[in-house]
Amino acid sequence: MYLLSGFIVLLGGIAMLVLCCVLVYFFISLVSRKGFKRVLQKHDIIEIMVWTGLILLSAMLIVQQSWFVLLPIVLLMMTMIKLRRTNRKLRAILGEDT
């Protein structure tokens, strides 16, 4: 009985997380279109969501002083910065940067 109720709670938590992510996805798209007059692509919106999550998670870990967990997050941020630079160079070469 407890296993079934735990599974239902876990399933509900995952469903809430997915719903919140979808709402944030469309909210970022709406704000960029209406506020900044710029249409973002899917990967740009997902990148904004990932950066926001990483920054909030790292702030929480700094407050809790959990330095061993913070190290992989910092390494992931450095990798994302390098990936962003590479993508920007590739778009400039292909002429897709508007």
Side-chain angles (χ1 to χ4, degrees):
M1 185 67 182
Y2 291 116
L3 183 65
L4 181 63
S5 61
F7 181 71
I8 291 172
V9 167
L10 181 67
L11 203 59
I14 292 172
M16 281 180 31
L17 183 67
V18 168
L19 179 66
C20 288
C21 287
V22 169
L23 289 175
V24 167
Y25 179 86
F26 286 116
F27 180 70
I28 291 173
S29 175
L30 180 72
V31 167
S32 70
R33 240 184 304 127
K34 299 290 182 181
F36 300 111
K37 306 289 190 237
R38 183 171 178 199
V39 178
L40 295 176
Q41 295 178 354
K42 283 190 276 189
H43 57 78
D44 292 330
I45 297 172
I46 293 172
E47 185 179 3
I48 291 171
M49 291 170 62
V50 168
W51 271 108
T52 305
L54 285 175
I55 290 170
L56 291 175
L57 185 63
S58 62
M60 182 184 71
L61 290 172
I62 289 172
V63 168
Q64 292 179 353
Q65 296 182 354
S66 180
W67 307 116
F68 292 116
V69 182
L70 186 64
L71 182 64
I73 292 175
V74 171
L75 293 175
L76 182 61
M77 285 181 178
M78 290 175 19
T79 306
M80 285 183 63
I81 289 171
K82 289 179 185 178
L83 180 66
R84 182 77 172 154
R85 287 181 187 161
T86 305
N87 286 343
R88 193 179 309 147
K89 287 179 186 176
L90 185 62
R91 275 190 256 150
I93 290 172
L94 295 176
E96 296 177 1
D97 204 16
T98 55

